[in-house]
Amino acid sequence: TNVLENVAVSKTFTPDLYGDFTGGLVNVVTKSFPDQKASQVSVGLTYIPSMHFNQDFILYNRGSLDWAGFDDGGRSIPIPSTTTPPDPVTDKTAANPVLEGITKKFNPELAAKQKTAYPNGSFSYSRGNQINKENGATYGYNVVFNYTNEHTFYNDFQSNLFQKSPQETNYALNKIQTIQGIVGKNSVMWSGLLSGSYKKKKSSYNITLLNSQSGESTASYRKNQDFNQNQATLIEDILTYSQRTLSTLLINGQHRVSLFDIKWANAFSYSRVYDPDFRETKISITDGDTNLNVGNGSGIRRFYRDLHEFNESFKVDVSFPVSENIKIKTGAIGAGKFRDFSVTNYLIRRSNPNDIELDADWFLQPENIWSADVDSPTYNNGTFIRGNEEPLNQYTAYQYLYAGYGMAEHQVLKKLKLIYGVRVEKLAMFYTGEGFVNGSREKFSNRKTLDALNVLPSINSVYAVSKSMNVRAAASRTVARPSFKEKSYASIYDPITKRTFVGNIDLDQTYINNFDLRYEWFISPKELFSITGFYKQFDGHIELVSFDVAPDQLKPRNSGQAQVLGAEIELRKAITGRDSTFLSRFFITANATIVESRVDLQSVLVDNNGGTEYQLRVENARDAEEIKTYRPMSGQSPYAFNAGLSYDDPIRNFSVSLAYNVQGTQLSIIGSGIVPDIYTVPFNSFNFNAYKSFGRDLNSRLTIGVRNILDDDITLVYRSYGAEDQIYTTYKPGVGFNIKYTYNF
């Protein structure tokens, strides 16, 4: 934060913003030219009693570079991904001896192990300066580095599946599957920023390089019980690692040419999500019989995912006055995005699935691996590898966007200003991969999946009631577009929650009409009171839906017509009173939003025969349940409340703050047929922080804090008419105590 110039929050669309806008945009601007030479270093620790030094904490043996957010290669595929290991069941040729060597190349570790969870640590360093030359040139630079290492432990993690009874008179939800156990995580993240700036006369240039790197290793040990099909009980060991990289190079400039202000920027970014060697071991202990029979859901699987994405965009903005009362701003942008996604999947099998031990690490021990040697104890009877690439879950996709806009800032009257204009965007998306169409498997090469020309008008008015009071009104049209992940044929499996995200190649973009009216009173530079009313119309908004026959699979879809009506009140105010010296040091902030959202269920199509969500809900209604023609939008809470109270004593260089926020019960995943809707239960976040500056020139600062004081949990539940809520997912983030020391020099 010490290198931030400002953080601008846009709640209203204007044509100079991207058209993919649903109600909020945050623009973070760093300082190109720091005010003075400054350096800062800080270290911090966070202790969570329920997690750290907990003897039940689990993880697995990690790589030598995990501390830096990189896999050291120990989790990479040990054979070419195009290699298909021979199958000893069907292949009796001399090629079979190759199988033993292939199997032994895979990391034998499959079991979660007891480890030590240390307190979370953080370190940061920053340095910046501005250098003025005699020739009138000014140089500026910033260097920033941040590092965090965190251990997380959930002692009672749950991920369950429930369904309604086929009988409408039975209100209770039936168990389909329950997963209960423990989860341990180690998350490492570091980021670095390096920027340099130059300005002379009426031009300035800036180049910024930003890199963010993270790695997260996770282990889970739990019991998985099936109550629907095979009635099996499984003991599961799950080991995962996710490595994420985001690198951005930004070059931008500003120029003043006569009456014209010109700004341009080119940004190139590379991102990677690398999931090497996810390992899932499921051993059946049904009725006391330990086995690895695939028919009851047991088995061993390990898979590798790799995603690469490249983005580049260039934009230019030009503003100039055409009269004393009118200022014009116009600009254009060209942007491209490319993604490559691949999955390689392997299964570990046993010639005799009943001759096993209840230890995940047992399977790939050398003495238990399948062998083609007739003199070996495991001749034609051991553990072996099967599998290779998954064509259905591999794809490449790209998109391009061209846009231009024109807008005017028009002082119509002394107190009335209008900001109006239009933005035009041309977007196309393309897909290469395989998928099922009407039951038939097809291959696609650069199939155009989206081709849209959007004309997005906007008008904003600002009426100055006084020097400190404004009334604003705005109307605009925007869009929301599906991501590559959403608009695909790929299925993405999460072994921790045991749920699968299934892409929908037929997704279309969402059209949004936005209207809002706002009164704002700037009481002082730090004080504000505002009240806003807003109304939005959505055509085809994207929601996540459960599969009727496979409730552990989730798919995005366009969901017809919807409306959102709401009001927001915001207050930032210093407290004053008779004892002004004391009370004026208190500062309160509050924000409250009330929202009513409605989706027209008769406009939501759920099949290719014209069936609607309303009809589907009527068909699966409980006895005496009234099905309305509308429901709330998913992801939209009926209310949100944020409040803060702070005390600042500039004499003692001491400050204290309390912060609380909560959102109302939110429909998160749409049910389908006998699968109930899934809601997020309110999470009450209550935090405390205290700061004390000391030392020569107050260059030292100590911060202490408590996070999640109420020890609330994060829970999603199934909810159905007449039934008791049942847990979909739940875990406890715990109460955290943190301390941080910062030194400025």
Side-chain angles (χ1 to χ4, degrees):
T1 56
N2 55 316
V3 298
L4 286 181
E5 182 74 32
N6 62 69
V7 178
V9 180
S10 300
K11 295 185 179 182
T12 302
F13 174 74
T14 53
D16 56 341
L17 301 176
Y18 285 92
D20 196 340
F21 185 97
T22 55
L25 183 141
V26 179
N27 184 24
V28 179
V29 181
T30 57
K31 294 179 180 178
S32 299
F33 302 95
D35 298 329
Q36 59 184 0
K37 183 178 179 180
S39 299
Q40 184 184 92
V41 63
S42 67
V43 292
L45 285 175
T46 298
Y47 172 65
I48 304 175
S50 62
M51 298 183 183
H52 300 142
F53 302 115
N54 189 315
Q55 63 180 3
D56 295 326
F57 179 77
I58 58 171
L59 209 57
Y60 66 102
N61 296 322
R62 296 166 290 161
S64 60
L65 293 178
D66 279 20
W67 63 271
F70 292 97
D71 173 58
D72 63 1
R75 301 181 180 91
S76 59
I77 304 176
I79 61 175
S81 60
T82 54
T83 299
T84 301
D87 189 339
V89 177
T90 60
D91 186 358
K92 303 297 184 180
T93 69
N96 266 339
V98 175
L99 181 60
E100 181 177 358
I102 289 177
T103 304
K104 287 183 176 180
K105 289 182 178 180
F106 283 79
N107 190 319
E109 185 178 16
L110 296 174
K113 296 173 177 59
Q114 185 176 354
K115 298 288 182 179
T116 301
Y118 296 103
N120 303 335
S122 66
F123 170 83
S124 66
Y125 169 81
S126 66
R127 182 179 178 85
N129 194 14
Q130 179 180 146
I131 303 170
N132 299 306
K133 296 293 186 178
E134 294 181 356
N135 61 359
T138 302
Y139 297 87
Y141 68 87
N142 283 299
V143 179
V144 182
F145 177 78
N146 293 286
Y147 178 86
T148 61
N149 192 322
E150 299 181 349
H151 287 87
T152 306
F153 179 62
Y154 303 127
N155 193 44
D156 189 19
F157 176 84
Q158 292 188 47
S159 181
N160 306 318
L161 298 176
F162 284 80
Q163 286 182 340
K164 300 177 185 177
S165 168
Q167 300 176 345
E168 62 183 23
T169 56
N170 186 351
Y171 299 98
L173 296 178
N174 296 331
K175 287 183 182 178
I176 303 300
Q177 182 185 63
T178 62
I179 297 176
Q180 298 182 353
I182 56 178
V183 177
K185 293 183 181 181
N186 176 230
S187 303
V188 171
M189 184 176 72
W190 64 265
S191 61
L193 179 147
L194 178 64
S195 69
S197 303
Y198 166 81
K199 66 180 177 181
K200 187 175 182 181
K201 296 181 179 179
K202 297 182 179 180
S203 293
S204 66
Y205 304 86
N206 177 266
I207 181 170
T208 301
L209 177 62
L210 173 67
N211 188 80
S212 176
Q213 181 71 35
S214 67
E216 181 176 88
S217 52
T218 304
S220 179
Y221 183 76
R222 74 270 187 107
K223 178 186 289 187
N224 178 349
Q225 292 182 277
D226 181 271
F227 298 89
N228 185 37
Q229 296 178 348
N230 51 47
Q231 304 291 313
T233 299
L234 309 176
I235 297 298
E236 299 184 345
D237 285 84
I238 312 295
L239 310 179
T240 71
Y241 183 80
S242 291
Q243 175 183 309
R244 288 173 168 81
T245 303
L246 175 60
S247 301
T248 301
L249 177 64
L250 174 66
I251 304 174
N252 62 288
Q254 301 182 39
H255 312 276
R256 175 78 176 184
V257 181
S258 185
L259 298 177
F260 296 86
D261 287 318
I262 304 172
K263 296 181 180 180
W264 59 269
N266 186 84
F268 172 80
S269 67
Y270 164 74
S271 59
R272 184 188 188 192
V273 180
Y274 179 43
D275 299 332
D277 206 2
F278 277 28
R279 310 167 209 179
E280 181 181 49
T281 304
K282 300 179 292 183
I283 301 175
S284 173
I285 58 169
T286 307
D287 298 326
D289 181 19
T290 303
N291 62 71
L292 207 66
N293 292 311
V294 296
N296 58 23
S298 59
I300 303 175
R301 178 186 180 193
R302 53 205 304 172
F303 57 93
Y304 305 75
R305 291 194 295 240
D306 206 353
L307 181 153
H308 299 265
E309 185 169 295
F310 301 88
N311 295 265
E312 182 156 18
S313 64
F314 178 83
K315 71 171 185 174
V316 59
D317 301 286
V318 180
S319 59
F320 55 92
V322 296
S323 69
E324 184 179 350
N325 296 325
I326 301 177
K327 183 179 181 181
I328 298 296
K329 186 176 182 181
T330 185
I333 185 173
K337 181 184 294 185
F338 173 84
R339 172 178 290 187
D340 179 80
F341 180 70
S342 62
V343 179
T344 304
N345 184 52
Y346 295 96
L347 302 175
I348 298 178
R349 294 289 187 247
R350 291 280 299 175
S351 302
N352 183 356
N354 297 309
D355 182 20
I356 67 169
E357 292 187 9
L358 189 61
D359 177 9
D361 280 344
W362 176 86
F363 292 91
L364 289 178
Q365 296 303 310
E367 64 271 17
N368 298 320
I369 292 177
W370 182 94
S371 176
D373 184 356
V374 295
D375 296 325
S376 172
T378 57
Y379 169 68
N380 204 29
N381 182 28
T383 305
F384 59 90
I385 294 286
R386 291 181 60 188
N388 57 5
E389 293 180 330
E390 292 187 355
L392 283 173
N393 281 331
Q394 301 190 73
Y395 68 89
T396 60
Y398 72 93
Q399 72 174 41
Y400 64 78
L401 170 72
Y402 300 112
Y405 73 90
M407 59 183 289
E409 188 174 314
H410 188 178
Q411 193 72 43
V412 180
L413 301 171
K414 183 178 180 180
K415 291 189 174 185
L416 177 63
K417 180 169 66 175
L418 298 180
I419 304 167
Y420 52 86
V422 64
R423 183 181 183 90
V424 179
E425 292 189 345
K426 171 67 174 178
L427 177 91
M429 296 180 69
F430 300 85
Y431 186 86
T432 297
E434 297 186 23
F436 283 94
V437 180
N438 298 323
S440 299
R441 184 166 174 171
E442 296 186 18
K443 293 184 178 181
F444 306 95
S445 178
N446 291 328
R447 173 189 172 185
K448 184 179 285 188
T449 58
L450 182 60
D451 188 5
L453 178 65
N454 300 122
V455 179
L456 308 173
S458 168
I459 181 169
N460 296 268
S461 64
V462 183
Y463 181 78
V465 179
S466 68
K467 291 183 178 181
S468 60
M469 296 182 186
N470 293 323
V471 175
R472 297 177 179 266
S476 63
R477 183 171 175 83
T478 58
V479 294
R481 300 188 176 102
S483 65
F484 283 142
K485 173 184 173 181
E486 293 171 327
K487 199 169 178 63
S488 73
Y489 286 106
S491 297
I492 301 175
Y493 174 66
D494 178 9
I496 300 297
T497 61
K498 205 174 175 60
R499 292 177 186 132
T500 302
F501 177 94
V502 181
N504 182 356
I505 199 71
D506 297 320
L507 279 178
D508 200 358
Q509 61 183 3
T510 305
Y511 298 91
I512 311 164
N513 294 324
N514 309 275
F515 307 92
D516 60 77
L517 180 65
R518 176 183 174 92
Y519 165 78
E520 55 191 16
W521 176 21
F522 298 97
I523 305 170
S524 74
K526 292 185 178 181
E527 297 176 306
L528 167 71
F529 172 78
S530 70
I531 182 169
T532 305
F534 55 89
Y535 174 70
K536 295 178 180 290
Q537 297 173 325
F538 293 82
D539 182 3
H541 65 288
I542 298 173
E543 295 182 315
L544 205 57
V545 184
S546 295
F547 277 68
D548 188 5
V549 295
D552 58 341
Q553 297 186 14
L554 308 174
K555 186 174 184 176
R557 77 174 180 205
N558 293 110
S559 293
Q561 304 293 320
Q563 302 176 21
V564 172
L565 177 66
E568 177 187 23
I569 297 177
E570 183 176 4
L571 175 66
R572 299 199 303 267
K573 186 72 174 68
I575 299 177
T576 58
R578 292 182 180 179
D579 186 3
S580 59
T581 303
F582 175 73
L583 290 179
S584 62
R585 296 173 181 168
F586 284 92
F587 196 84
I588 60 172
T589 61
N591 178 287
T593 304
I594 299 176
V595 177
E596 181 179 0
S597 63
R598 290 192 174 192
V599 178
D600 182 359
L601 297 182
Q602 294 177 321
S603 69
V604 182
L605 300 180
V606 297
D607 56 45
N608 296 327
N609 300 318
T612 66
E613 184 179 336
Y614 176 75
Q615 295 170 335
L616 186 63
R617 288 182 179 270
V618 170
E619 293 170 1
N620 292 276
R622 306 295 89 182
D623 191 34
E625 180 182 5
E626 178 187 359
I627 302 298
K628 298 180 180 179
T629 58
Y630 60 87
R631 60 161 170 80
M633 286 179 67
S634 70
Q636 180 61 67
S637 297
Y639 69 86
F641 178 70
N642 305 278
L645 175 64
S646 61
Y647 173 80
D648 185 24
D649 187 341
I651 299 176
R652 297 176 178 84
N653 305 302
F654 174 74
S655 62
V656 178
S657 66
L658 290 169
Y660 172 79
N661 65 76
V662 65
Q663 294 187 24
T665 301
Q666 171 184 297
L667 176 60
S668 299
I669 300 174
I670 310 303
S672 179
I674 60 174
V675 179
D677 293 327
I678 298 168
Y679 288 81
T680 299
V681 176
F683 174 74
N684 295 276
S685 176
F686 186 41
N687 306 305
F688 165 83
N689 279 292
Y691 316 88
K692 171 67 176 176
S693 297
F694 57 94
R696 188 178 64 180
D697 301 325
L698 302 177
N699 56 356
S700 292
R701 187 183 196 187
L702 188 66
T703 304
I704 61 172
V706 185
R707 185 186 64 191
N708 191 25
I709 295 174
L710 301 179
D711 196 20
D712 211 352
D713 53 48
I714 297 175
T715 302
L716 283 78
V717 298
Y718 287 101
R719 185 162 293 178
S720 178
Y721 177 82
E724 181 181 352
D725 289 353
Q726 300 293 340
I727 291 176
Y728 177 72
T729 296
T730 185
Y731 59 92
K732 293 183 72 68
V735 180
F737 301 87
N738 63 275
I739 183 169
K740 182 178 181 180
Y741 172 73
T742 302
Y743 178 70
N744 295 281
F745 57 99

